[in-house]
Structures are given as C-alpha cells and as structure tokens.
C-alpha cells in the first residue's frame, strides 16, 4: 500500500463515498475539471460524472443553501468552499437552517450535509486565504466541526462526516496537506466523531491542539522530551461537540495544560476548553492553563504570518511556564 | 454616439396575464380547468377557508392565546393558485403567508397555529413529508429550492420545487443567487414573487428601480412573467404552465404575482403609521374572493345559501383546528435537546439532565 | 427631566448624533417613516430628512457593505439590522472589510461605522427573533462589540460608538427596551468603551454579565443579599475588547465568580472570561468559575424560551455552588 | 394561451459597442478624444507599461521573490479605458486585475509588488487617498461602492464611484444587492464587469444562463451595455459616457467589457488543466495592444523606433519599481497591532509587547 498525504486521503475518502453511496454529490467552485484549487477533488468528475461532481457558479451562500436543499431531499451533499476566508456568506444558511432543520421539523426533515474548506495559514497565500475561524462554527448548536490532522484521520473523519446524519463543517489544515504521508487502507471505515486522539503519551503536561498546529505541538513535545519533560499530546479533531472527558482525564494525570491554536485568542475554541478545565478540572490543575494562539489581530499578510502563528518555541515557553508555577 | 449606432445583441419582453377582471368578467379565453365547477369551487373554498382561518388567528393573537401572526388577507388567490396547481410529490418552500397552499398540501390549520403559538411541533407537518417549513429569514429558501430541484433532476423524478417569496425578498442576494443557479442548471423549479406592494413599511418602489419584479428573471437568463395575483384563475393557470414546463425538463420560471397586503405586516405591526387607509380601501375593490364569487354567481348559479353553507363549513373546520391547538399538550422543556442531532452528544447530556430535572421540579411545585 | 427607557435613550442618542455631526447617516429596513419596528428611530426621518435617515432595500449584506463604503468616505453611518437573527449576511463584510480597512491600508482608509441590532430573547417573538450570537463578533479582531443595559448606558455608549473611529457592533437588549426608566441628560456626553460598569458592590461573589441578563443578575443579587450574601455585579458592557482588569480586581476581592449570559454556552463570551480568570486569577479563586448561560441548543421557540434563558433561580443556584466549594 | 395573448408590459434591449475592429480599423465614427494623438499615446503607453509590469511580476513570483500574482495579460484595455476616463477625485474599487487603472490613478507599481509580496504597506497607496485597495473576497466591493456613491450624492459632489469585477463575480449575491441599490437610489456609480471568459477554471457559460452579463442590469432597473473590452477606444468611450451620466445626476450604468484572460488565473493556477491552448491562441488575434498599435501605425506614423523607445521607457520604470520593492525595509512584527484600531486597546498591549520582544530577540540573535 502506498503512502499518501492528507490531501490524497481527502480525495480517497471522497471517491470512496461517491462509490459507496449513490446519494453523495460533490460540488463547489473549480471542483470539476480542475479538481479543486488544491486538487482535493482531482479525477472525481471524470470518474463519477458531471451529475455528481459539479462546478457551481461563484456564490457561497448559494452553495450552502443548495446543499441544505439537497440534504433535505435525502442526498448527501459534500460542498467545498474554496478557502475558509470565503466561508462567511454560508453562515446565515448554516446557523439559520442547516443546524435547525431537524430540530425545527421535529425530525421530519434532516440535513446530512458536509461543508469542506481548507483553512489556516502558513502557505504564503494572499489576503483572506489563511483564516482560522472555526470558533464561529463551534458556537452554533446543532453543528459538528471536524478537523483532521493526519492522512488516516483525514480519511476516516471525512467518511464519518459524510455518513453523519447531521450537518458537519469539515476544515482541512492546508499547510499540512502535503506535509506527511501515511499508509491509509481504503477500507471505508469511518473514525468516531466524538473523541480526541492521543498523539503522544506523557505525564508532565497535556498539550491540546488541532489542525496544522499538531505539527508544531508534536515538535515542541519532542524537544521537551529531550529535556526530560513528558507531554501528553491530544488532537481534539472534533472541536464540536467537544470530548472534554479525554482532555480532563489527561489533565487529571498531568496537572498541567497548554492549549495551542492558530485562531485569534479571544473567544477562540481554546477559551472554551480552558473554561471547562477551570470548571471541572480545577482540583487537578497544578498551574494555570496556558493558551498559545494567534493574536487578536487580523491574520497578517504573509511577511508576518510566522510571527502571528504559534511556533514550537512559543509552545515550549508556555509549557515551561506551567511547570514553573506552583 | 447614440444607441441607434450600437448593435442590439439581446431583446427581452415581460408579459402580464389577467383572465378575470375585477368585476369577475372574462377578459380572455379561460383555460380548460376553469370549465369545471368542482375545480372553481375547490379554489373558492380554499380562499374562503384561508380567510376564515386568518381572522380567527388574528383574534387568537389579540386575546393573548397565540404569538405574533402574519396575515394573508387579500392575498389568498396567490397561494391558492400555487397549491392547487402543484402535485403532492412536488415540494413547496413557503414564507409566512402561503397558508392557502400549505392547507391544500396537507398542513393542518392547527399546526400553523401551533407554530405561531411558539411551538416547533407546528412545523412537524404530520401529513406533509417533504415541504419545507415556513422560512423566516428572507429569501434564504431560494438556494435551498435550487438544491431540492437538483435532487429531483439528478434522480430523474418528474417533480418540481416551488418557492414563494415577497417583493421585499427580491432585493436579497440569495434570491438572485438561487434563480441564477436555476437558470445555469436548468432546474425544475418555479419561483413565485408575491408582490403585495409592501415589505413591512417599505413600499415596493423603494426596493428596486426595476419597473417589474418579473424582469429580475432576465438577470438569470430564465423566463419571467407577471400575473394578476388576485385573479385565482390566472394564477392557477400561469402556475400550471410553469410547473408543466419545469416538470417536462423545460427549466425554471419566475412569476410575479401582483396582489395587495390588506392587513398589517403582522399582528406586531401598525400599518396606519406608514400607509393611508384610503389606498388600502381602494385595493379592496380588487379582492380575489369577491372576484371569483362574482364569476360563480354569473356562471354557476352560486347564491347566498351556498355562500352561507360554505362559510359555516369553513368556520367549523377552523373551530376544530383552534380547539386542537388550544388542547395541545405542553411541550417538555428537555425536548429542546431531542431533535438537535440524531443522537444527543455526550457533551450535552448534563445540560439536558439539568433542564429535565428543573422541569420536573417546577411541575412538582405547581 | 423626564425619565426615559433604553429604547428612548437609543433614539435620543441617535437624534443627538444626527444633530451634532453632519456626517451621521442612519439607515436600515423600516427605520424611516415607520421609525423602526421597535421605534428606535422614531421621528428621526421627519426631523433630519430622507437624505440622512433612509429606508434601504431588504438586503443585510448590502446594508453592511454600504456602511463600509460610506465610512470609507468619512461619513459616520449608523446602520440598523432589524433583529440579530438577520445579522449573519453582514459577517463577510464585517470580518473581511469593516475590521480590516484601517489595518489593510495602514491607516489610509478607516471605518467609523456602527451596526446596531436588537438582540436576545424573552419577548415571545417568532423564530430567529431571539438570537444572542455576540460571541461571533467578539472573535473578530479589529471590532468593538458594545451592549448597553440601562437608559444611561444606552445613551452614553451609543454616542461613544458613533464617535469611535473604528467599527462597532452595538447590540440592544430588546427584552429590557422598555423595562426600566432613568433620567438621561441629553448632554452629548459619551461613556467610555473600555470599561465594565459596577452595578452593585459586594464582597462574597462576583457576578459578571451584560445585556438583558443584568436584570436577572441584579434580582439574584438582591435575593442573595437577603440571605447575607454580598454580590459584586459587573455589567461588562463592552464585550470586545474586554476590560479584564475590573473583573480580575473584583474577583481578587471576592474569590468567586459566576458569569451569566443568554447565548449558548459553548464558545460564548463567558468562556473567554472564564479562561482569562483561570489564567490570571487562579490564585485569587476559592472556587471554580461558574457559567450560567443559554444551553447548547437552538434557542427554542417561545413556549420554551424561559426554560432556555438563565433565570434568577439558576443564578442563585450557581452562586451557592461557588460558595459551597473550598 | 400563447405569449401573444398576454399583454407586453416591459421591453428591454442590450447593445454592444466596438469602434476599432481586430485589424485596428475604424468600424464607426470615433469619439472626439480619439482625434488626439497624445490621448491615444497615453492609452497605448499605459497598456504597454502594464504588460511590461505584468511579465516582470510573474518573473518575480517564479523566482521566489514575490508571492502569488494575478496577471492582467490580454485585459489591459479594460482597466486602461476605465482609469483614463475617470477623474482623480472619483473613487475606484478594483479587484486584482485593474493595475492599468490603478497606475493611472497614482498607485505605484512598487506598491502592487509589495502587496503581492505579502505586505500590507502595498495597500497604503501614498499618492492615492481615496481609492479602495484590491478586493479579494469576490463582489464584496459592490455594496461598498454604492455606499461611497451615496456619500458623494449626499454631499452633492460631482464625483463617481466605480467598481470593477469579473464574470464569475456576477453570480454572487452582493453584486446584485449593490447594483439594485444603485438603481433604487440612483447613485453616481459605474459597475464594470470584466468578462474574461473564465473564473479560475469555470467558463462564463457555467456562471449563468443569461446570454449577456450586461442584462443583469435589467434586474436592477439600470442601463446595461456591452463593449468590446479589447478595443481601448470603445472602452474609454463607453466608460466616459457612463461617468458623465452618473456625474450629472443621471444614475448608474453597468458595463460588460468582453475580453480574455490570456494567462493562468494566478501564478498558483495551471490553466492547461482545463482549457485548450488553441482557444487561447485564437484570442491572441484580438489583442488590445496590437489593435491600437495597428491603428497608430496606420493613422499616426507610429513606427518601430517609437515602439522600441516606449518599451525601453516602460522597462526602465518597471525596473525602478522592482528595485524599490526589493529594497523595502522589513516590516516590524509588532506592526500587526498598530493599525487595528486608532488606539491600541489595553487588552492587546501585552500581546503586542510579546511580539515586539520576540522580534527584538530574533533580530539580536541574527
Ligand atoms: C433576512 C431578513 N431580514 C429582515 C427580516 C425582517 N422582516 C420580516 S418580513 C420583512 C419584510 C418582507 O417583505 P416581503 O418580502 O415583501 O414579504 P411580505 O411580508 O410582504 O409578504 C422583513 C424585513 C427577515 N425576516 N429576514
Ligand atoms: C467570495 C469568494 N469566493 C471565492 C474566491 C476564490 N476566487 C478568487 S478569484 C475567483 C474567480 C473569479 O472569477 P472572475 O470574477 O471572473 O474574475 P477573474 O479572476 O476572471 O478576473 C475565485 C473563485 C474569492 N476570492 N472570493
Ligand atoms: Mg411584500
Ligand atoms: Mg473572469
């Protein structure tokens, strides 16, 4: 079995879903002949036809709205938003309808749709192409928000998102799209949408992260290991709903926690995790929870993007700070 | 250089259909269905029933037995024509004034009352599996309609998706994005713009400099036409044609139905702040029910006895619906968690427990 | 001087701003002849003319976009979104442009606009008319988010928002629009946009809240006082940027904190405050911070809205819980 | 019932303007400005300069000295005509292909390079106070343009707001909302749709079933027309007329300029995946620069010497801009906080301090 990237794993999961479920429809801007600007949908139109893999007009509100309509009719739409920076026109549809259709109709009409978008910075892209605004979606009741950080998880979580009977926003960390390779058996097996994944075992401090930041976080953990500091690294993966149990168990073990995310700090998902740790884990905590995040500034254009995004160094500094305390 | 020297590369026309004038007289040949007394009676009955329902609903709101309600007074012909022309397997995406269409499609009057009574169960539509519930965020249902129509097209079903929206709604971008997709993908879809002259306090002319709303279709490259929305025969006719066209693969149509909102925007509104009663009164002369009644009297021996019997029957139906509404068992507070996802995520269990516990305590305490 | 309601204070501030600043323009759906569906703009069109007080077509994206354009040209647009449930189409404009114009042009072009919207539940309104999604805006760098909770603060904070050289989202708690009256001198004096307001002094527990929830919170404080429990009640008022200093000082005094908001809990603004308390106030805290919030469900239709929204009783329970601990 | 039996209530036509054909020959009477050699030369120079800039920018990207860049190759006449027709006090809202207009309006080539080099200072536009920076989120600038136009109208200024967008952009709702407002409020505003046949890989016909994009104006009740966007004289002419109309209170116009995107969408794109080179080559025959050159040769003694001198001058200008770009002093990391608000809120001070400290450490460490 060949090793594949996250991007290829996304492609593989989409192909698998198109193959297995006749109700799956894949669409968005440039997803057809072009195979998506990152090639996530490469070859799918050729394989599954222009009726199931479609280029849409350039209109994100419409993309979300039509996905909802399709889902209401029992299709399983998988819509692509080209970059997370262009996802905002979908918000009205997502918060007013996708998340509410089942509730509003007491289960008569459901909305099994997936909205995919590459997200995050670090690829020297133009303005608006480096957004990490997952917290906006994490605040919406009725939604699932899922972020893979490895080829295996990209495959398994995307299949899970497509199989899920409710709406899922699926954010793909584009900086690591091609960064690592793994053997990914194309077995059609979904991964669970309600658990964090433990990436590394350690007893001194818990590092909680997701998306491309798993990369910096694992690097930090490795460097810290060399200094004799053992890190428990958790990839939250499904940031809504949150699997706090796993996080709390880890913190019960380590007594210390650093949360790492790329998004702006204020009202980011890290705040929710930190708040719940303070609520339920106060007795286990030996030190204040640290958040290493993007700043509360506009994501700068690429000359400064590395100054904005959490670095291995910033994570290590935060870990050491929690170790100094108490 | 004047326009004459430029090359004309595209031409468009917008047409208008009226079959009965305001006196209830034929102004053109009537379509086949209008020869059937049963059909005309069905249309008439739906309009009368909807109006009977309407005034009862307003009364419920005024007496504190229901929340805000949006009246369809004066506009009954539009939704009646739509609902009558559609097949059951079609899908309707209504706003909050298409009761007449919803009733014909299996939605119970008691469900509509429950909805305005602040209860999600009013959108469960026991007898209507596919239709979307009332859409409050303006025009958001147009792209959804396109998605539904695409599902039908993909599955090669002979079904049509129909969405209805107001004159004000035509200013919103998703209306345009939706009709543009309908054109681009040649979807089996009919979009009806109910031009009732008002969007709350904002008159139609403030919405757009376009002389008709039907011409918005030209931007999407689809046919657009205007119809007298107070002439139920014309409405039913134009709607049928559009549905047939869509059903047989002919693509989408935009229909602008001209009518008038006779009541306040909703029971929370006070239209006297922004429009003259005299203008409203003038529009009374165009009333759709009066118009069909005149036609029935002149052509089908309709009389006061029949009229009274019909009103009594409608009143009885409405009465039954109101009783059903008022007898609705209370909704358990914890149900707010039960239709959020197919399966309640663990993360929400403790919140649900809290609400359930409190609900039981309060019940216990009463 | 007559006593006026919050709604009248909003109207007074708008009139004052129109009077004082020739660049102020007020617009939105039904704000003209009708004076707004809540009457917040009543009489303004008559007084200041149809060129400065305008009804727009029904299109929220456009309302936000045109406000940005006007602001870029040096006007001071004050746009109304009829209900917060219809604010979502403005998000792309707000997050991509309003908040970024100054930054992107290095100060060459600025965006002194105000986006007003009534928000919150409790008035037995139809679907989508009871939203509290301030956290979405609180996550946007470059924005200010302001919520008054009394006539005096409505007047002073709205004037401040209009005077502010940067974009402000101004959310009006509609449930208490007409609930209380105060004497409000029409002196054109703005209140500061960077401080919390102390509504009540106490030493046992800090209650942090904003908007209509100040009402329940003050009621709870009063009942608790009767039981001998003294509450320090803070109205955050400007929820972005946050005045954590005042909150931290209060918690340093009381050692206990309950945060109350109407919005869904997960990733609400309460999470950010709780996270910062855990980061910076850990040593002062005798008990875990409690959040009393709306649930992570769709805001139910009005039959259940009171079961959704924090009640005086729920606040009291939470306060007692923090007092039991440690 | 056929259409003939329906009443026609509105009629529309869309016109097309071309003044020079692809051989550079007059196909109609030329507007007055075209009699001036200086004017034609200015237009020609801008197009050549923009193209020279373009190939240099692509080279900078290819050699790792700049980020992603969007080429305007083949489309230079559109923005040249726009920029030349506008007055300095007007306001331009461009996308990412209107360099020719921006250069004429005082934006430095080095600023555009800085922008694509990932530096906000590339939008500070030292010599251009009012124009909006390049807009990346498609069509979002159309409602902004309406707001700007309203400010002008309110202040009774004889200024016009101009926004430019692509064929793909016409599918987005805010485009429609913006032009609808322009019509409703009769704003001094011109909207130019640069139809370059492609939105990345998506061909124009996938965007809309409308046979022209100009007819989208009909939905807004405003005039819409088409122009040969590779004919800079026609472009300048149609643009001037629209500006004059807007400036004198005559309201907005939508102009669809037909051109062709000769390069990849951006340097991050590979157009060979989705379009045949043969079709691209065919469009080469329509090149706007070649066309005006032919006209200049035939009518104004333009020759190779002059051509070479012009190219040399443009190359020198571009060279200077590139040097200025490459010499740009580094941007301090903490500057990401300095233009967020007029005054940095206290809450952000510690974040700024952290970034500044780290920046100094790194510098110290180098
Ligand atoms: C997106 C959005 N904005 C604002 C509102 C508030 N609102 C409800 S109805 C209405 C007017 C709608 O007018 P129109 O489309 O003509 O429909 P009508 O009420 O006349 O049937 C407005 C502004 C809303 N429901 N949704
Ligand atoms: C709202 C939004 N969606 C998607 C994109 C990504 N994108 C950038 S350019 C482009 C195509 C634009 O096509 P068109 O409007 O024809 O302009 P052109 O690039 O041809 O000049 C797309 C989809 C974007 N920038 N903004
Ligand atoms: Mg209306
Ligand atoms: Mg294009």
């Amino acid at each position: 079995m060949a090793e594949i990237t996250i991007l290829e794993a996304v492609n593989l999961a989409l192909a698998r879903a198109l193959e297995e479920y006749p109700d799956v429809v894949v669409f968005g801007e440039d997803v057809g002949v072009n195979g998506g600007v990152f090639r996530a949908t490469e070859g799918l139109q050729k394989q599954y036809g222009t009726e199931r893999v479609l280029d849409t007009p350039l209109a994100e509100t419409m993309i979300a709205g039509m996905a909802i309509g399709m889902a209401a009719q029992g299709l399983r739409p998988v819509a692509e938003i080209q970059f997370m920076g262009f996802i905002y026109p979908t918000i009205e549809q997502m918060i007013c309808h996708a998340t509410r259709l089942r509730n509003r109709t007491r289960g008569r009409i459901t909305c099994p749709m997936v909205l995919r978008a590459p997200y995050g910075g670090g690829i020297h892209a133009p303005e608006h192409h480096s957004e990490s605004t997952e917290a906006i979606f994490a605040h919406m009741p009725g939604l699932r928000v899922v972020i893979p950080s490895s080829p295996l998880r990209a495959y398994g979580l995307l299949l899970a998102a497509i199989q899920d009977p409710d709406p899922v926003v699926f954010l793909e960390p584009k900086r690591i799209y091609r960064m690592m390779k793994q053997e990914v058996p194309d077995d059609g097996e979904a991964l669970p949408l309600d658990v964090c994944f433990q990436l590394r075992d350690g007893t001194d401090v818990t590092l909680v992260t997701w998306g491309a930041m798993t990369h910096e976080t694992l690097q930090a953990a490795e460097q810290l290991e060399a200094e004799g500091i053992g890190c428990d690294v958790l990839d939250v993966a499904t940031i809504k709903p949150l699997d706090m149990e796993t996080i709390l168990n880890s913190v019960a073990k380590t007594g210390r926690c650093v949360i790492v995310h790329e998004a702006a700090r204020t009202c980011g998902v890290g705040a929710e995790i930190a708040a719940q740790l303070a609520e339920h884990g106060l007795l286990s905590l030996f030190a204040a929870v640290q958040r290493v995040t993007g700043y509360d500034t506009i994501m700068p254009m690429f000359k400064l993007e590395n100054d904005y995004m959490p670095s291995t160094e910033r994570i290590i500094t935060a870990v050491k700070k929690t170790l100094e305390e108490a | 250089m004047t326009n004459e020297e430029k090359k004309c590369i595209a031409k468009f026309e917008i047409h208008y259909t009226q079959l009965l004038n305001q006196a209830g007289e034929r102004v053109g040949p009537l379509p086949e269905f209008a020869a059937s007394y049963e059909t005309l009676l069905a249309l008439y009955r739906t309009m009368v029933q909807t109006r009977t329902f309407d005034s009862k609903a307003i009364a419920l709101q005024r007496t504190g037995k229901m929340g805000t309600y949006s009246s369809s007074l004066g506009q009954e012909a539009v939704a009646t024509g739509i609902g009558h022309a559609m097949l059951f397997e079609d899908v309707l995406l209504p706003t909050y004034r298409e009761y007449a269409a919803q009733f014909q499609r299996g939605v119970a009057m008691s469900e509509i009352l429950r909805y305005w009574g602040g209860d999600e169960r009013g959108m469960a539509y026991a007898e209507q599996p596919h239709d979307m519930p009332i859409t409050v965020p303006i025009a958001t249902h147009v792209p959804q309609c396109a998605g539904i129509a695409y599902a039908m097209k993909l599955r090669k079903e002979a079904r049509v998706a129909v969405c209805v929206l107001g004159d004000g709604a035509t200013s919103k971008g998703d209306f345009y994005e939706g009709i543009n997709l309908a054109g681009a993908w040649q979807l089996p879809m009919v979009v009806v713009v109910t031009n009732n002259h008002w969007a709350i306090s904002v008159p139609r002319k403030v919405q757009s400099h376009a002389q008709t709303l039907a011409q918005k279709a030209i931007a999407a490259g689809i046919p657009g036409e205007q119809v007298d929305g107070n002439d139920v025969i014309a409405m039913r006719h134009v709607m049928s044609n559009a549905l047939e066209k869509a059903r047989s693969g002919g693509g989408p149509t935009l229909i602008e139905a001209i009518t008038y909102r006779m009541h306040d925007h909703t029971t929370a509104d006070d239209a006297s702040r922004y429009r003259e009663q005299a203008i409203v009164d003038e529009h009374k002369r165009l009333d759709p029910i009066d118009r069909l009644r005149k036609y029935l009297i002149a052509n089908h021996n309709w009389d006061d006895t029949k009229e009274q019997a019909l009103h009594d029957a409608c009143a009885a139906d409405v009465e039954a619906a109101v009783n059903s509404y008022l007898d609705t068992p209370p909704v358990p507070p914890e149900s707010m968690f039960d239709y959020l996802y197919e399966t309640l995520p663990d993360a929400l269990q403790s919140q649900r427990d809290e609400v359930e516990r409190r609900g039981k305590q309060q019940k216990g305490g009463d």
Side-chain angles (χ1 to χ4, degrees), chain B residues 63-339:
Chain B
T63 53
K65 297 201 181 88
M66 203 176 71
T68 303
Y69 169 78
S70 58
S71 162
S72 71
L73 186 69
Q75 307 182 192
E76 294 89 348
V78 178
T80 298
I82 293 169
H84 199 268
M86 287 176 71
L87 299 184
F88 189 71
E89 59 266 33
D90 295 336
V91 171
L92 176 70
L93 296 97
T95 73
Y96 41 82
R97 294 196 211 279
E98 282 71 57
Y99 308 122
Q102 293 188 293
F103 295 158
Q104 291 174 89
R105 297 184 54 71
V107 175
M109 288 186 283
S110 57
E111 290 177 315
I112 300 294
L113 297 175
R114 241 165 250 141
Y115 175 73
W116 292 117
D119 186 339
E120 284 82 359
R121 292 172 298 181
M123 290 179 279
Y125 301 167
E127 304 294 329
Q128 174 39 259
H130 289 310
D131 283 4
M132 295 292 263
I134 287 172
T135 296
V136 169
I138 296 293
T140 52
H141 57 325
V142 189
Q144 292 169 13
C145 186
I148 289 175
Y150 185 71
M152 295 166 170
K153 184 177 170 133
L154 178 70
R155 292 171 167 163
K156 306 198 181 353
E157 299 165 343
R159 299 165 66 202
V160 183
V162 174
C163 81
V164 191
L165 58 152
D167 46 310
T170 65
S171 297
K172 200 153 165 277
D174 28 13
F175 156 72
Y176 167 73
E177 292 188 1
I179 62 169
N180 189 55
L181 183 68
W185 289 9
Q186 289 296 295
L187 298 173
M189 166 167 167
V190 179
V191 177
V192 181
V193 174
T194 307
N195 177 354
N196 65 3
H197 290 63
W198 294 95
I200 309 187
S201 72
V202 180
R204 151 66 183 90
K205 72 171 190 308
V206 170
Q207 293 295 335
S208 184
H209 199 244
Q211 62 188 106
T212 68
L213 299 177
Q215 79 201 49
K216 307 243 169 197
I218 297 170
I222 68 174
E225 59 180 305
Q226 226 185 38
V227 58
D228 182 340
N230 283 5
D231 172 357
V232 73
I233 297 180
M235 188 67 218
R236 163 71 169 77
H237 175 62
V238 165
M239 188 68 200
S240 290
N241 288 348
L243 284 166
E244 204 172 300
K245 185 172 183 217
R247 202 181 304 285
S248 58
T253 303
L254 177 76
I255 298 168
E256 177 189 6
I258 309 289
T259 180
Y260 202 83
R261 195 195 80 208
M262 297 300 290
H263 197 260
D264 298 329
H265 170 69
T266 64
T267 52
D269 178 47
D270 172 9
S272 73
R273 293 176 62 88
Y274 53 79
R275 67 176 185 186
E276 304 274 325
Q277 189 54 38
I279 300 175
V280 181
D281 292 343
E282 253 175 53
H283 278 91
K284 218 170 156 8
R285 293 181 297 123
L286 307 177
D287 188 78
I289 297 184
D290 290 351
R291 191 180 309 192
L292 186 56
R293 184 186 319 109
K294 285 177 196 155
Y295 182 80
L296 288 173
I297 291 169
N299 297 276
H300 293 280
N301 302 318
W302 189 256
D303 60 24
D304 285 356
T305 320
K306 290 175 188 161
E307 180 79 14
Q308 191 55 50
L310 176 63
H311 278 269
D312 291 348
C314 289
D317 287 357
V318 169
E319 190 64 25
V322 169
N323 288 337
S324 159
Y325 163 65
L326 295 174
D327 290 347
T328 310
V331 50
E334 67 275 16
S335 71
M336 71 173 88
F337 291 90
D338 294 343
Y339 302 92

Side-chain angles (χ1 to χ4, degrees), chain A residues 1-2 4 12 16 152 155 159 182-189:
Chain A
M1 194 165 31
I4 61 173
L12 197 66
R16 181 81 193 199
L152 275 167
Y155 179 85
L159 278 179
Q182 274 179 332
E183 285 197 355
V184 178
D186 185 14
D187 55 9
E189 287 292 323

Side-chain angles (χ1 to χ4, degrees), chain A residues 63-227:
Chain A
I63 289 175
M66 66 194 265
I68 293 168
M70 289 174 178
Q73 274 292 305
L75 294 184
R76 293 181 178 274
V78 184
E80 175 176 305
I81 299 297
Q82 203 160 75
F83 287 87
M84 193 174 201
F86 311 128
I87 209 168
Y88 308 114
T90 72
I91 291 181
E92 181 177 41
Q93 287 288 342
M94 296 307 290
I95 200 170
C96 294
H97 298 293
T99 58
R100 299 190 192 200
L101 214 40
R102 178 191 290 279
N103 183 65
R104 160 180 297 155
T105 63
R106 304 284 93 173
R108 182 172 61 90
I109 301 179
T110 62
C111 192
M113 67 175 278
V114 178
L115 195 68
R116 291 178 46 241
Y119 94 107
I123 62 160
H124 277 210
E127 274 193 291
H128 303 284
H129 289 68
S130 305
E131 307 273 304
S132 301
T133 37
E134 66 272 15
I136 293 178
F137 292 95
H139 189 50
M140 296 181 192
L143 198 62
R144 281 195 163 75
V145 183
V146 179
I147 303 179
S149 72
S150 75
L152 275 167
R153 286 190 293 282
Y155 179 85
L157 291 174
L158 181 50
L159 278 179
I162 296 171
Q163 288 168 12
D164 194 83
D166 291 302
V168 179
V169 168
F170 192 85
L171 300 173
E172 300 167 8
K174 61 173 155 334
R175 182 161 61 91
I176 59 170
Y177 253 161
R178 299 183 173 93
M179 197 183 261
M180 79 201 79
K181 290 195 169 199
Q182 274 179 332
E183 285 197 355
V184 178
D186 185 14
D187 55 9
E189 287 292 323
L191 285 169
L193 285 185
D194 52 8
V195 298
C196 299
F197 294 88
Q198 192 191 32
L199 304 188
R200 196 182 169 107
D201 200 355
T203 53
D204 295 321
V205 60
T206 300
L207 306 185
V208 177
T209 189
W210 54 91
M213 278 298 136
T214 52
H215 180 70
E216 274 62 36
T217 306
L218 283 170
Q219 281 198 323
E222 206 161 304
Q223 293 185 30
L224 287 162
E225 183 74 59
E227 302 184 36

